[in-house]
Amino acid sequence: MPVKHTILAAAVAALLACNAAAQTTPATEPWMNRALPAEQRAGLALGAMTQEEKLKLVFGYFAIDIADKGYQRPQASRPQSAGWVPGVPRLGIPDLFETDAGIGVASQRGPKPRQRTALPSGLATAATWNPELAYQGGAMIGAEARASGFNVMLAGGINLTREPRNGRNFEYAGEDPWLAATMVSAQIRGVQSNHVISTIKHLSANDQETSRMGVNVKMSDRDARRSDLLAFQLAIEQSNPGSVMCAYNRYNDFYACESDYLMNQVLKQDWQFKGFVMSDWGATHSTIPAAMAGLDQQSGWPLDKHQYFTAGLQEAVANGHVPQARLDDMVRRILWAMFDKGVVDHPVAEGGPIDAQRHEAISQADAEQGMVLLKNDAAPQGGKLLPLAPGLKRIAVIGSHADIGVLSGGGSSQVYPRGELPLPGLGPNEFPGPLVWFPSSPLKALKERHQATFTFDAGRDPDSAARAAAGADVVIVFANQWTAESLDASLDLAERQNDVIAAVARANPRTVVVLETGGPVLMPWLAQVPAVLQAWYPGTSGGPAIARVLTGEVDAAGRLPLTFPASLDQLPHPQLPGQGKGPEDRWDLTYPEGAAVGYKWYDLKDRKPLFPFGHGLSYGEVKLEGLGARLDGKTLKVTFRMTNHGQRAASQVGQVYVAAPRGRWEAPKRLANFAKASLKPGESRSFELAVDPRLLADWDSRGKTWKIAAGSYQVLLARSAGDIVARVPVKLRARTMDLHGR
Ligand code: BGC
């Protein structure tokens, strides 16, 4: 390059750098001092902001074009993503770039979805009962969020499974507050380890999709504090998320995003939550009531009817309907999250490197450990079908596109695979479609691992499937249930899948069923089928994960994070509530089970489910032994041992339940803690688990205290809620504790 041009180029570069510097903040501004606590930095930055800048920070935009509303996403937002909130560049406060959700960096429907690594479903991760894996998964998807230019991840779904037909169960972590909080908090910590804000959601009781905007959930404080709200409370304590998303539904007559009880009283006052509450997309319905009830940020414009948190809020503040201090509090909370989680100090940019191979391995490990071997009886001709014996000559694989890939759940959390969709054009044309299969074929992965000759049948026609099955040494039938946001599911497998399984089992009793479902399904063919593997939505690397569990390269290590009902009439609501209601209809929903969610309901009513909470078989023989319980000061400590008495490495989950005298609690027993381990043959390991005292207590709504009643309790060591291996009594003294169990 000639010298003259070099000088010119240098001058232009210097000018550009100068401009950039004028826009960014000198690192000397007091709120940029990393040595100060986040609270202080937030206060300092707030003090430097104009009213206009404050108002910008409390209003978020959807980051897709919506033609029928004449809406175009803001230029600065990331295309096909969940949201964008402008920052204050003058002060060094970056924009918020928001992406869904809990299984990876999702993309909204559109021409160019991001291609990212998908974890198995949230339920699958919960089924690992392994918080370390949940952390690693969270850290992995958080890293992909950062590399994709996002600093807010809408991950942390923790709505309890009250309704097994809820179309979003796959995004959540099951029915038990302690298990869900342990797993979801680990995931949130993982996400936030990337200096990305995580968003626990949806506060509260958004426990079904049918008429989710119209439903008015009626729940007493006492029931909620021991169930849905307990899950939130524990998870927030254990992970300190930057934000909380309030839900679509109404809650005790108020929209969740207008609920003073949920946001001001419980979340901010009782739990001392320091971050901000963002609304779900389309869940803000007012300015003054929402602001005064504790909503800090309106999300997802233009999904709401009005821009409640722009000019309307400005006017409400000017007129004193919303105090200036409330607006300042909203902004301070948003800034606190940004400083505390490192969003300000570690700016994000698009196009960062992603180590796909490493990330897919993390997803695969999660999927493998989350698969639940529901049944593994001896087959009529010979021993157990799983793990697949090495000498098998002919294996028939049937159904569910097992030759192509594995299914995922639909809606806003949809992650798209790398490469083209292997089965494009399936499912609804509009949200929550499309139906996405990850190109990770279980059949292919099996072929890579097993010498047998494989045949494949699509599994659409019972006769054809039966012909394919006849004469095989083993048949593996895959079945699926697609579930998605905005729709609730049926517990009956769709199309002719039940008929196909029944026909296959008749043609060949050596049949294994593999289920890729959002949650539980009914299994009318169960008695005819010796082996069933619950694979959930197993994510990006589901094919090899399924194959490795089937062949026994890894143990079957998952345990159910929710009960599988034997029939609909076992449920608190045999009929799915809210059917036929229009989106604007308001209707009341009460939960007959109260705080007795999931297995607690079955215990209370003495109902025997198809498979109980916590259930899952292993290929090995790790026994639970040596149960002891003692009070260490005020803390109940439970000890036990796991010993591998078998010939192969295997895993086990030691589940500790505590039972109260009948009638004292909402249900006979509660999960109090658990530990998972994988042991070599002959290995023995001891555990000592502390029990959070709130799990031994009842909630007193008046005094806002937890109360343990004096008496004799039972500590149970169990393989599942329905399979107790030992029990010891423990005497507890009466005790009253504060909100935090202290
Ligand atoms: C969902 C949220 C999601 C948001 C943004 C809503 O439809 O309920 O979970 O984070 O959209 O995509």
Side-chain angles (χ1 to χ4, degrees), residues 5-184:
H5 283 178
T6 319
I7 293 169
L8 192 66
V12 170
L15 197 70
L16 285 178
C18 190
N19 266 346
Q23 294 207 348
T24 55
T25 316
T28 51
E29 292 288 11
W31 56 86
M32 298 309 272
N33 179 357
R34 296 184 187 194
L36 298 179
E39 282 87 339
Q40 208 177 331
R41 296 176 72 183
L44 289 164
L46 176 71
M49 284 168 72
T50 65
Q51 189 77 337
E52 200 185 330
E53 287 165 342
K54 291 177 189 174
L55 284 159
K56 282 211 165 114
L57 219 47
V58 299
F59 186 77
Y61 299 81
F62 205 1
I64 58 168
D65 298 341
I66 305 180
D68 57 6
K69 291 186 187 268
Y71 172 80
Q72 288 198 325
R73 72 171 175 90
Q75 278 282 306
S77 68
R78 313 271 189 237
Q80 278 178 252
S81 72
W84 174 77
V85 180
V88 189
R90 178 181 80 82
L91 304 178
I93 305 302
D95 299 1
L96 292 176
F97 298 99
E98 299 166 329
T99 180
D100 286 297
I103 69 163
V105 178
S107 285
Q108 297 286 330
R109 225 192 139 84
K112 280 182 97 182
R114 283 166 196 79
Q115 304 185 347
R116 295 292 182 268
T117 315
L119 290 168
S121 63
L123 263 186
T125 297
T128 67
W129 294 60
N130 184 338
E132 178 53 32
L133 279 182
Y135 177 89
Q136 284 171 21
M140 182 275 278
I141 62 173
E144 293 203 1
R146 164 159 289 277
S148 312
F150 294 104
N151 51 18
V152 179
M153 209 169 193
L154 309 175
I158 196 166
N159 294 96
L160 291 187
T161 314
R162 286 180 176 274
E163 174 50 72
R165 290 158 294 199
N166 177 5
R168 295 187 86 174
N169 282 337
F170 76 93
E171 292 191 56
Y172 305 137
E175 68 193 22
D176 180 75
W178 180 257
L179 176 66
T182 306
M183 302 305 291
V184 171

Side-chain angles (χ1 to χ4, degrees), residues 175-250:
E175 68 193 22
D176 180 75
W178 180 257
L179 176 66
T182 306
M183 302 305 291
V184 171
S185 64
Q187 184 186 43
I188 292 173
R189 289 197 302 275
V191 169
Q192 293 193 154
S193 70
N194 295 283
H195 305 301
V196 167
I197 292 170
S198 198
T199 308
I200 196 167
K201 66 189 187 184
H202 310 85
L203 189 72
S204 181
N206 184 182
D207 296 340
Q208 67 166 56
E209 292 296 283
T210 302
S211 188
R212 63 180 176 175
M213 309 276 184
V215 56
N216 175 31
V217 174
K218 298 275 207 179
M219 203 181 295
S220 76
D221 177 62
R222 179 161 169 250
D223 282 345
R225 299 275 191 160
R226 296 176 300 167
S227 56
D228 305 63
L229 290 182
L230 181 58
F232 272 98
Q233 180 182 15
L234 295 168
I236 289 171
E237 284 173 6
Q238 291 166 23
S239 63
N240 196 14
S243 62
V244 170
M245 189 186 290
C246 52
Y248 282 130
N249 50 288
R250 288 185 174 90

Side-chain angles (χ1 to χ4, degrees), residues 394 466-474 507-508:
R394 277 191 57 199
R467 278 195 299 277
D473 295 335
V474 163
N508 191 333

Side-chain angles (χ1 to χ4, degrees), residues 227-445:
S227 56
D228 305 63
L229 290 182
L230 181 58
F232 272 98
Q233 180 182 15
L234 295 168
I236 289 171
E237 284 173 6
Q238 291 166 23
S239 63
N240 196 14
S243 62
V244 170
M245 189 186 290
C246 52
Y248 282 130
N249 50 288
R250 288 185 174 90
Y251 193 88
N252 291 333
D253 304 332
F254 296 93
Y255 282 113
C257 296
E258 270 172 34
S259 168
D260 179 73
Y261 166 79
L262 287 175
M263 296 186 290
N264 278 343
Q265 296 175 38
V266 174
L267 178 69
K268 293 180 177 177
Q269 191 183 311
D270 293 349
W271 300 344
Q272 295 286 300
F273 175 68
K274 288 194 190 139
F276 65 104
V277 182
M278 65 168 79
S279 63
D280 200 342
W281 274 226
T284 308
H285 301 274
S286 66
T287 302
I288 300 168
M292 295 313 290
L295 180 65
D296 300 307
Q297 193 177 62
Q298 178 181 2
S299 310
W301 176 255
L303 294 192
D304 291 317
K305 289 206 177 97
H306 298 285
Q307 294 197 354
Y308 299 107
F309 276 28
T310 56
L313 183 59
Q314 184 174 24
E315 192 182 316
V317 173
N319 291 334
H321 296 304
V322 173
Q324 179 67 38
R326 177 72 263 271
L327 175 62
D328 287 354
D329 176 52
M330 295 174 185
V331 177
R332 188 183 290 108
R333 286 170 172 279
I334 297 165
L335 291 170
W336 173 83
M338 294 173 83
F339 283 113
D340 194 65
K341 307 306 163 200
V343 160
V344 179
D345 298 335
H346 305 269
V348 289
E350 277 178 289
I354 290 176
D355 185 343
Q357 227 182 339
R358 197 176 72 81
H359 289 186
E360 286 170 11
I362 291 170
S363 172
Q364 187 175 326
D366 191 354
E368 286 171 1
Q369 278 214 23
M371 284 188 203
V372 183
L373 184 58
L374 292 172
K375 181 174 178 184
N376 197 19
D377 288 355
Q381 302 144 29
K384 294 183 174 179
L385 296 183
L386 296 178
L388 295 172
L392 301 169
K393 297 234 158 34
R394 277 191 57 199
I395 300 180
V397 174
I398 294 172
S400 201
H401 302 294
D403 55 334
I404 308 260
V406 289
L407 185 58
S408 61
S412 61
S413 69
Q414 183 72 61
V415 176
Y416 287 78
R418 297 187 174 86
E420 296 297 308
L421 287 188
L423 291 162
L426 297 182
N429 278 330
E430 302 299 327
F431 186 89
L435 207 145
V436 174
W437 293 79
F438 292 122
S440 179
S441 158
L443 173 61
K444 183 164 165 271

